[in-house]
Amino acid sequence: MKLHILRCGSMRVSPDVPCGSGSELGGALRQHLTPTQKRVELPVLCFLLEHPRGPILVDTGWCRDISPAGVYDQAAVRQVLPGRLAAFYRPVLPAGMAVHEQLAALGIRAQDLAAVLLTHLDPDHVAGLKHVRAARDVVLPEDEYFWSCRAVYKARQPQSLWIDQPIRRVFYRGSPLGPNHWAIDLFGDESVQMVNVPGHTDGQAAVLIQNGKRFVLLAADAAFSPRNWREDITPGFGFDREQQRKSLRWLRQMAEDPACAGVLCSHDPELTPGAMEF
Ligand SMILES: [Zn+2]
């Protein structure tokens, strides 16, 4: 199978976001105050899988409205994200990098997509959904949708980006996979499974793609880079630190499996956009 790594913009965030061990979760609420010069630039990655059932997109990155001219535009960002979130992310989406622009460059229309899988509802993962809403299916774990009622997610996950989109909510079921043994087997053949990796959010899914004996795991924001599981450092932007640790342990176990062709994180600056086959 062929997997494309698409960089759908970037965000400039506090260094505590990717590696936050030792900081209290309350600190996450102040991360939007970090001065620009102390911030780190992280990619916002989406993934496109060439699957026998058709192309499958995992997450959707930023929407074009956030950077109409392809440069950082504070006023435009504030039209899409409320003030504190706009300051937290400082997002930018250069020309040609919106998800639908990249799909068009690959000759794929939104309606050609067999599925769009949403790992969770944070804006850097769902803002671009409006560009690909014509996909044949858009899947979100029911748990992620359900817990969006919590005050913390109401602040993190602006409903305007997803509430009116044609999302199909699917329940996790018992599975040998994941820290909590919960997964969604998309086609019933184990080729694409959304595995619950909570901590960053309650309902967050990693996406496990299997081809014969080899697999790739898309970790979403359960880790921001391999450093998180190699050095046992939890990311600093999350909801439940214990669950984050549990999810990280599972990622490490998967990464050490000889069948693993890669564990890829949504904001890993070391990941080079392009295609990989496994
Ligand atoms: Zn993210």
Side-chain angles (χ1 to χ4, degrees):
M1 281 195 217
K2 196 170 189 179
L3 181 72
H4 300 262
I5 301 170
L6 309 176
R7 181 171 178 150
C8 297
S10 57
M11 57 195 202
R12 276 190 91 81
V13 294
S14 159
D16 287 343
V17 172
C19 287
S21 264
S23 66
E24 293 303 313
L25 277 183
L29 298 173
R30 293 188 296 276
Q31 284 163 354
H32 69 288
L33 299 172
T34 307
T36 314
Q37 66 274 18
K38 288 196 175 161
R39 292 181 177 228
V40 290
E41 181 170 342
L42 300 180
V44 173
L45 302 174
C46 303
F47 301 90
L48 178 73
L49 174 68
E50 293 185 18
H51 187 275
R53 299 218 186 198
I56 296 173
L57 179 69
V58 177
D59 288 334
T60 64
W62 297 121
C63 53
R64 175 49 61 215
D65 326 39
I66 229 156
S67 277
V71 294
Y72 177 64
D73 182 336
Q74 191 176 23
V77 173
R78 290 289 294 270
Q79 294 289 316
V80 180
L81 300 176
R84 195 184 282 183
L85 276 185
F88 174 88
Y89 284 108
R90 286 186 65 86
V92 64
L93 182 59
M97 290 178 99
V99 69
H100 61 305
E101 297 163 358
Q102 299 206 49
L103 290 175
L106 292 167
I108 298 170
R109 300 167 306 168
Q111 57 267 42
D112 298 330
L113 293 169
V116 175
L117 309 184
L118 300 173
T119 61
H120 61 300
L121 287 172
D122 281 350
D124 49 316
H125 299 258
V126 301
L129 178 55
K130 64 195 289 184
H131 299 313
V132 289
R133 55 171 285 143
R136 303 207 292 270
D137 198 6
V138 179
V139 178
L140 175 76
E142 169 65 30
D143 267 69
E144 181 69 9
Y145 190 94
F146 178 81
W147 287 114
S148 66
C149 62
R150 278 194 209 270
V152 62
Y153 298 128
K154 281 190 172 151
R156 270 174 70 171
Q157 304 177 334
Q159 289 198 346
S160 57
L161 297 177
W162 49 270
I163 198 78
D164 292 328
Q165 300 300 335
I167 292 172
R168 183 166 72 94
R169 289 137 57 187
V170 181
F171 281 97
Y172 287 118
R173 301 174 71 167
S175 161
L177 294 168
N180 287 350
H181 307 291
W182 256 10
I184 295 162
D185 186 351
L186 195 64
F187 301 120
D189 61 1
E190 299 185 352
S191 63
V192 181
Q193 300 187 74
M194 300 178 82
V195 182
N196 183 223
V197 283
H200 181 73
T201 67
D202 289 87
Q204 179 179 243
V207 178
L208 179 66
I209 303 160
Q210 283 190 278
N211 187 20
K213 290 197 165 86
R214 302 284 285 165
F215 71 83
V216 166
L217 180 62
L218 308 179
D221 291 2
F224 277 61
S225 76
R227 191 180 162 207
N228 291 119
W229 66 80
R230 284 181 192 146
E231 299 178 28
D232 203 17
I233 303 170
T234 47
F237 184 51
F239 176 69
D240 184 324
R241 182 128 311 173
E242 259 326 295
Q243 292 283 0
Q244 281 182 296
R245 288 205 180 96
K246 210 171 160 190
S247 292
L248 272 183
R249 282 198 292 273
W250 183 68
L251 291 186
R252 183 170 56 220
Q253 188 187 323
M254 294 299 277
E256 288 171 354
D257 189 316
C260 180
V263 177
L264 314 182
C265 309
S266 297
H267 304 294
D268 182 357
E270 302 292 319
L271 269 188
T272 310
M276 63 179 282
E277 295 203 43
F278 66 100

Short mmCIF file of all heavy atoms in Angstrom, two decimals, residues 56-106:
data_model
loop_
_atom_site.label_atom_id
_atom_site.label_comp_id
_atom_site.label_asym_id
_atom_site.label_seq_id
_atom_site.Cartn_x
_atom_site.Cartn_y
_atom_site.Cartn_z
N ILE A 56 -8.19 6.92 1.01
CA ILE A 56 -8.68 7.23 2.36
C ILE A 56 -7.82 8.34 2.95
O ILE A 56 -6.59 8.24 2.99
CB ILE A 56 -8.61 5.98 3.26
CG1 ILE A 56 -9.54 4.89 2.71
CG2 ILE A 56 -8.97 6.32 4.71
CD1 ILE A 56 -9.42 3.56 3.43
N LEU A 57 -8.48 9.40 3.39
CA LEU A 57 -7.78 10.54 3.97
C LEU A 57 -7.90 10.48 5.49
O LEU A 57 -8.99 10.23 6.02
CB LEU A 57 -8.42 11.84 3.45
CG LEU A 57 -7.84 13.16 3.95
CD1 LEU A 57 -6.43 13.38 3.40
CD2 LEU A 57 -8.75 14.32 3.55
N VAL A 58 -6.79 10.70 6.18
CA VAL A 58 -6.82 10.75 7.64
C VAL A 58 -6.53 12.18 8.06
O VAL A 58 -5.43 12.71 7.84
CB VAL A 58 -5.79 9.77 8.26
CG1 VAL A 58 -5.79 9.89 9.78
CG2 VAL A 58 -6.09 8.34 7.83
N ASP A 59 -7.53 12.83 8.64
CA ASP A 59 -7.49 14.22 9.09
C ASP A 59 -7.43 15.20 7.91
O ASP A 59 -7.17 14.80 6.77
CB ASP A 59 -6.38 14.48 10.11
CG ASP A 59 -6.71 13.85 11.47
OD1 ASP A 59 -7.91 13.69 11.76
OD2 ASP A 59 -5.78 13.53 12.23
N THR A 60 -7.68 16.48 8.22
CA THR A 60 -7.89 17.42 7.12
C THR A 60 -7.11 18.74 7.25
O THR A 60 -7.22 19.59 6.38
CB THR A 60 -9.41 17.75 7.01
OG1 THR A 60 -9.82 18.42 8.21
CG2 THR A 60 -10.24 16.50 6.83
N GLY A 61 -6.35 18.92 8.32
CA GLY A 61 -5.51 20.12 8.44
C GLY A 61 -6.31 21.41 8.53
O GLY A 61 -7.51 21.41 8.84
N TRP A 62 -5.64 22.51 8.26
CA TRP A 62 -6.28 23.83 8.32
C TRP A 62 -7.12 24.06 7.08
O TRP A 62 -6.88 23.47 6.03
CB TRP A 62 -5.23 24.95 8.42
CG TRP A 62 -4.40 24.92 9.67
CD1 TRP A 62 -3.04 24.80 9.74
CD2 TRP A 62 -4.86 25.02 11.02
NE1 TRP A 62 -2.64 24.83 11.06
CE2 TRP A 62 -3.73 24.96 11.86
CE3 TRP A 62 -6.12 25.15 11.61
CZ2 TRP A 62 -3.81 25.02 13.25
CZ3 TRP A 62 -6.21 25.21 13.00
CH2 TRP A 62 -5.07 25.16 13.79
N CYS A 63 -8.06 25.00 7.17
CA CYS A 63 -8.86 25.40 6.01
C CYS A 63 -8.24 26.64 5.38
O CYS A 63 -7.53 27.41 6.03
CB CYS A 63 -10.31 25.66 6.41
SG CYS A 63 -10.50 26.84 7.76
N ARG A 64 -8.54 26.83 4.10
CA ARG A 64 -7.96 27.96 3.35
C ARG A 64 -8.30 29.31 3.98
O ARG A 64 -7.47 30.24 3.96
CB ARG A 64 -8.44 27.86 1.88
CG ARG A 64 -8.07 28.97 0.95
CD ARG A 64 -6.59 29.35 0.98
NE ARG A 64 -5.63 28.33 0.60
CZ ARG A 64 -4.42 28.22 1.18
NH1 ARG A 64 -4.02 29.03 2.14
NH2 ARG A 64 -3.58 27.27 0.79
N ASP A 65 -9.49 29.41 4.60
CA ASP A 65 -9.93 30.70 5.17
C ASP A 65 -8.95 31.25 6.21
O ASP A 65 -8.93 32.44 6.49
CB ASP A 65 -11.28 30.58 5.90
CG ASP A 65 -12.22 29.59 5.27
OD1 ASP A 65 -11.76 28.52 4.82
OD2 ASP A 65 -13.42 29.88 5.25
N ILE A 66 -8.14 30.36 6.80
CA ILE A 66 -7.25 30.77 7.88
C ILE A 66 -6.07 31.57 7.34
O ILE A 66 -5.46 32.38 8.04
CB ILE A 66 -6.83 29.50 8.67
CG1 ILE A 66 -7.01 29.71 10.15
CG2 ILE A 66 -5.44 29.03 8.34
CD1 ILE A 66 -7.17 28.43 10.94
N SER A 67 -5.73 31.33 6.08
CA SER A 67 -4.60 32.00 5.41
C SER A 67 -4.99 32.29 3.97
O SER A 67 -4.46 31.68 3.05
CB SER A 67 -3.36 31.07 5.36
OG SER A 67 -2.61 31.09 6.52
N PRO A 68 -5.92 33.22 3.74
CA PRO A 68 -6.40 33.42 2.36
C PRO A 68 -5.28 33.70 1.36
O PRO A 68 -5.36 33.29 0.21
CB PRO A 68 -7.33 34.63 2.49
CG PRO A 68 -7.69 34.70 3.93
CD PRO A 68 -6.55 34.13 4.69
N ALA A 69 -4.23 34.41 1.81
CA ALA A 69 -3.13 34.74 0.88
C ALA A 69 -1.93 33.81 1.08
O ALA A 69 -0.86 34.05 0.53
CB ALA A 69 -2.72 36.20 1.08
N GLY A 70 -2.11 32.77 1.90
CA GLY A 70 -1.03 31.81 2.08
C GLY A 70 0.02 32.23 3.09
O GLY A 70 1.07 31.59 3.20
N VAL A 71 -0.24 33.32 3.81
CA VAL A 71 0.70 33.79 4.85
C VAL A 71 -0.06 33.93 6.17
O VAL A 71 -1.29 33.91 6.18
CB VAL A 71 1.35 35.14 4.48
CG1 VAL A 71 2.24 34.99 3.26
CG2 VAL A 71 0.28 36.20 4.24
N TYR A 72 0.70 34.10 7.26
CA TYR A 72 0.03 34.27 8.55
C TYR A 72 -0.83 35.53 8.52
O TYR A 72 -0.35 36.60 8.15
CB TYR A 72 1.05 34.35 9.69
CG TYR A 72 0.40 34.59 11.03
CD1 TYR A 72 -0.46 33.63 11.58
CD2 TYR A 72 0.60 35.77 11.74
CE1 TYR A 72 -1.09 33.86 12.79
CE2 TYR A 72 -0.02 35.99 12.96
CZ TYR A 72 -0.86 35.03 13.48
OH TYR A 72 -1.49 35.25 14.68
N ASP A 73 -2.08 35.39 8.91
CA ASP A 73 -3.04 36.48 8.80
C ASP A 73 -3.90 36.46 10.06
O ASP A 73 -4.88 35.72 10.16
CB ASP A 73 -3.89 36.26 7.54
CG ASP A 73 -4.89 37.38 7.30
OD1 ASP A 73 -5.27 38.07 8.27
OD2 ASP A 73 -5.30 37.55 6.15
N GLN A 74 -3.49 37.26 11.03
CA GLN A 74 -4.12 37.23 12.34
C GLN A 74 -5.63 37.48 12.26
O GLN A 74 -6.42 36.79 12.90
CB GLN A 74 -3.47 38.26 13.26
CG GLN A 74 -3.88 38.10 14.70
CD GLN A 74 -3.13 39.08 15.61
OE1 GLN A 74 -2.64 40.12 15.18
NE2 GLN A 74 -3.04 38.74 16.87
N ALA A 75 -6.01 38.45 11.44
CA ALA A 75 -7.44 38.79 11.33
C ALA A 75 -8.22 37.61 10.74
O ALA A 75 -9.31 37.27 11.21
CB ALA A 75 -7.61 40.03 10.48
N ALA A 76 -7.64 36.95 9.73
CA ALA A 76 -8.32 35.81 9.11
C ALA A 76 -8.42 34.65 10.10
O ALA A 76 -9.46 33.97 10.18
CB ALA A 76 -7.58 35.38 7.85
N VAL A 77 -7.35 34.41 10.86
CA VAL A 77 -7.37 33.33 11.85
C VAL A 77 -8.49 33.57 12.86
O VAL A 77 -9.24 32.65 13.22
CB VAL A 77 -6.01 33.21 12.58
CG1 VAL A 77 -6.09 32.19 13.71
CG2 VAL A 77 -4.90 32.82 11.60
N ARG A 78 -8.63 34.84 13.27
CA ARG A 78 -9.66 35.17 14.28
C ARG A 78 -11.08 34.99 13.74
O ARG A 78 -12.02 34.89 14.51
CB ARG A 78 -9.45 36.61 14.77
CG ARG A 78 -8.20 36.78 15.61
CD ARG A 78 -8.35 36.12 16.99
NE ARG A 78 -9.35 36.76 17.82
CZ ARG A 78 -9.11 37.76 18.66
NH1 ARG A 78 -7.90 38.22 18.79
NH2 ARG A 78 -10.08 38.27 19.38
N GLN A 79 -11.22 34.96 12.42
CA GLN A 79 -12.54 34.67 11.84
C GLN A 79 -12.90 33.19 11.98
O GLN A 79 -14.06 32.81 11.94
CB GLN A 79 -12.55 35.02 10.34
CG GLN A 79 -12.40 36.51 10.04
CD GLN A 79 -13.64 37.30 10.43
OE1 GLN A 79 -14.76 36.89 10.16
NE2 GLN A 79 -13.44 38.42 11.11
N VAL A 80 -11.85 32.35 12.12
CA VAL A 80 -12.07 30.90 12.15
C VAL A 80 -12.00 30.36 13.58
O VAL A 80 -12.78 29.49 13.97
CB VAL A 80 -11.04 30.17 11.26
CG1 VAL A 80 -11.26 28.66 11.29
CG2 VAL A 80 -11.10 30.68 9.82
N LEU A 81 -11.05 30.89 14.36
CA LEU A 81 -10.82 30.39 15.71
C LEU A 81 -11.07 31.49 16.73
O LEU A 81 -10.69 32.64 16.49
CB LEU A 81 -9.36 29.91 15.87
CG LEU A 81 -8.89 28.79 14.95
CD1 LEU A 81 -7.40 28.51 15.19
CD2 LEU A 81 -9.70 27.51 15.17
N PRO A 82 -11.65 31.15 17.89
CA PRO A 82 -11.79 32.17 18.94
C PRO A 82 -10.42 32.63 19.43
O PRO A 82 -9.42 31.92 19.24
CB PRO A 82 -12.56 31.44 20.03
CG PRO A 82 -12.52 29.99 19.70
CD PRO A 82 -12.20 29.85 18.25
N GLY A 83 -10.37 33.80 20.04
CA GLY A 83 -9.12 34.48 20.37
C GLY A 83 -8.05 33.63 21.03
O GLY A 83 -6.91 33.60 20.60
N ARG A 84 -8.42 32.89 22.08
CA ARG A 84 -7.41 32.14 22.82
C ARG A 84 -6.83 31.00 21.96
O ARG A 84 -5.63 30.76 21.97
CB ARG A 84 -8.04 31.57 24.09
CG ARG A 84 -7.01 31.09 25.08
CD ARG A 84 -7.65 30.45 26.28
NE ARG A 84 -8.18 31.40 27.23
CZ ARG A 84 -8.75 31.06 28.39
NH1 ARG A 84 -8.85 29.80 28.71
NH2 ARG A 84 -9.21 31.97 29.21
N LEU A 85 -7.68 30.36 21.19
CA LEU A 85 -7.20 29.28 20.31
C LEU A 85 -6.36 29.84 19.16
O LEU A 85 -5.36 29.24 18.77
CB LEU A 85 -8.38 28.51 19.72
CG LEU A 85 -9.00 27.39 20.54
CD1 LEU A 85 -10.07 26.70 19.73
CD2 LEU A 85 -7.97 26.40 21.02
N ALA A 86 -6.78 30.99 18.64
CA ALA A 86 -6.02 31.63 17.57
C ALA A 86 -4.61 31.93 18.07
O ALA A 86 -3.62 31.71 17.37
CB ALA A 86 -6.72 32.92 17.12
N ALA A 87 -4.51 32.42 19.32
CA ALA A 87 -3.20 32.73 19.90
C ALA A 87 -2.43 31.47 20.23
O ALA A 87 -1.20 31.43 20.11
CB ALA A 87 -3.39 33.57 21.17
N PHE A 88 -3.13 30.42 20.62
CA PHE A 88 -2.47 29.15 20.96
C PHE A 88 -1.77 28.56 19.73
O PHE A 88 -0.63 28.13 19.80
CB PHE A 88 -3.51 28.17 21.51
CG PHE A 88 -2.98 26.78 21.76
CD1 PHE A 88 -2.40 26.45 22.98
CD2 PHE A 88 -3.05 25.81 20.77
CE1 PHE A 88 -1.90 25.17 23.20
CE2 PHE A 88 -2.55 24.53 21.00
CZ PHE A 88 -1.97 24.21 22.21
N TYR A 89 -2.48 28.55 18.59
CA TYR A 89 -1.98 27.84 17.40
C TYR A 89 -1.11 28.70 16.48
O TYR A 89 -0.23 28.18 15.80
CB TYR A 89 -3.14 27.28 16.57
CG TYR A 89 -3.79 26.04 17.14
CD1 TYR A 89 -5.06 26.09 17.71
CD2 TYR A 89 -3.15 24.80 17.07
CE1 TYR A 89 -5.67 24.94 18.21
CE2 TYR A 89 -3.76 23.66 17.57
CZ TYR A 89 -5.01 23.73 18.13
OH TYR A 89 -5.61 22.60 18.62
N ARG A 90 -1.41 30.00 16.37
CA ARG A 90 -0.76 30.84 15.33
C ARG A 90 -0.60 30.06 14.02
O ARG A 90 0.51 29.85 13.52
CB ARG A 90 0.60 31.34 15.81
CG ARG A 90 0.51 32.46 16.84
CD ARG A 90 1.88 33.03 17.18
NE ARG A 90 2.52 33.69 16.05
CZ ARG A 90 2.30 34.96 15.73
NH1 ARG A 90 1.50 35.71 16.44
NH2 ARG A 90 2.91 35.49 14.69
N PRO A 91 -1.71 29.63 13.43
CA PRO A 91 -1.63 28.75 12.27
C PRO A 91 -1.31 29.49 10.97
O PRO A 91 -1.62 30.68 10.84
CB PRO A 91 -3.06 28.18 12.19
CG PRO A 91 -3.91 29.25 12.76
CD PRO A 91 -3.09 29.94 13.82
N VAL A 92 -0.72 28.78 10.04
CA VAL A 92 -0.50 29.32 8.70
C VAL A 92 -0.65 28.19 7.69
O VAL A 92 -0.29 27.04 7.97
CB VAL A 92 0.88 30.03 8.60
CG1 VAL A 92 2.02 29.06 8.80
CG2 VAL A 92 1.04 30.77 7.28
N LEU A 93 -1.22 28.53 6.54
CA LEU A 93 -1.46 27.54 5.49
C LEU A 93 -0.97 28.12 4.15
O LEU A 93 -1.70 28.83 3.47
CB LEU A 93 -2.95 27.20 5.42
CG LEU A 93 -3.38 26.14 4.41
CD1 LEU A 93 -2.67 24.82 4.67
CD2 LEU A 93 -4.89 25.94 4.45
N PRO A 94 0.28 27.83 3.78
CA PRO A 94 0.82 28.37 2.52
C PRO A 94 0.00 27.92 1.30
O PRO A 94 -0.71 26.92 1.36
CB PRO A 94 2.24 27.79 2.48
CG PRO A 94 2.58 27.50 3.91
CD PRO A 94 1.29 27.07 4.54
N ALA A 95 0.13 28.68 0.23
CA ALA A 95 -0.61 28.39 -1.01
C ALA A 95 -0.32 26.96 -1.48
O ALA A 95 0.82 26.49 -1.40
CB ALA A 95 -0.20 29.39 -2.09
N GLY A 96 -1.35 26.28 -1.92
CA GLY A 96 -1.20 24.93 -2.46
C GLY A 96 -1.18 23.85 -1.42
O GLY A 96 -1.13 22.66 -1.75
N MET A 97 -1.22 24.20 -0.12
CA MET A 97 -1.08 23.18 0.93
C MET A 97 -2.39 22.79 1.59
O MET A 97 -2.41 21.86 2.41
CB MET A 97 -0.06 23.63 1.98
CG MET A 97 1.35 23.64 1.43
SD MET A 97 2.54 24.23 2.65
CE MET A 97 3.19 22.69 3.26
N ALA A 98 -3.49 23.48 1.29
CA ALA A 98 -4.78 23.05 1.85
C ALA A 98 -5.07 21.65 1.31
O ALA A 98 -4.63 21.27 0.22
CB ALA A 98 -5.88 24.02 1.45
N VAL A 99 -5.82 20.88 2.07
CA VAL A 99 -5.96 19.46 1.74
C VAL A 99 -6.56 19.27 0.35
O VAL A 99 -6.10 18.41 -0.42
CB VAL A 99 -6.75 18.73 2.86
CG1 VAL A 99 -8.21 19.16 2.91
CG2 VAL A 99 -6.62 17.23 2.71
N HIS A 100 -7.57 20.06 -0.01
CA HIS A 100 -8.20 19.88 -1.32
C HIS A 100 -7.26 20.32 -2.44
O HIS A 100 -7.31 19.77 -3.55
CB HIS A 100 -9.53 20.62 -1.40
CG HIS A 100 -9.44 22.09 -1.22
ND1 HIS A 100 -8.85 22.68 -0.12
CD2 HIS A 100 -9.87 23.13 -2.00
CE1 HIS A 100 -8.93 24.00 -0.22
NE2 HIS A 100 -9.54 24.29 -1.35
N GLU A 101 -6.39 21.28 -2.16
CA GLU A 101 -5.41 21.71 -3.17
C GLU A 101 -4.40 20.60 -3.42
O GLU A 101 -4.01 20.33 -4.57
CB GLU A 101 -4.71 22.98 -2.69
CG GLU A 101 -5.66 24.17 -2.52
CD GLU A 101 -5.09 25.32 -1.68
OE1 GLU A 101 -3.95 25.20 -1.16
OE2 GLU A 101 -5.81 26.33 -1.51
N GLN A 102 -4.00 19.92 -2.34
CA GLN A 102 -3.03 18.83 -2.51
C GLN A 102 -3.67 17.61 -3.17
O GLN A 102 -3.03 16.92 -3.97
CB GLN A 102 -2.44 18.44 -1.15
CG GLN A 102 -1.71 19.59 -0.50
CD GLN A 102 -0.64 19.13 0.45
OE1 GLN A 102 0.18 18.28 0.13
NE2 GLN A 102 -0.65 19.68 1.64
N LEU A 103 -4.93 17.34 -2.83
CA LEU A 103 -5.61 16.23 -3.49
C LEU A 103 -5.75 16.50 -4.98
O LEU A 103 -5.54 15.62 -5.82
CB LEU A 103 -7.00 16.01 -2.86
CG LEU A 103 -7.01 15.45 -1.44
CD1 LEU A 103 -8.45 15.39 -0.91
CD2 LEU A 103 -6.37 14.07 -1.37
N ALA A 104 -6.10 17.75 -5.33
CA ALA A 104 -6.25 18.11 -6.75
C ALA A 104 -4.94 17.89 -7.49
O ALA A 104 -4.92 17.39 -8.62
CB ALA A 104 -6.71 19.56 -6.87
N ALA A 105 -3.83 18.22 -6.83
CA ALA A 105 -2.52 18.03 -7.47
C ALA A 105 -2.23 16.55 -7.71
O ALA A 105 -1.47 16.19 -8.62
CB ALA A 105 -1.43 18.64 -6.59
N LEU A 106 -2.88 15.68 -6.92
CA LEU A 106 -2.72 14.23 -7.11
C LEU A 106 -3.82 13.66 -8.02
O LEU A 106 -3.91 12.44 -8.21
CB LEU A 106 -2.77 13.52 -5.74
CG LEU A 106 -1.60 13.77 -4.79
CD1 LEU A 106 -1.93 13.28 -3.38
CD2 LEU A 106 -0.33 13.09 -5.30
#
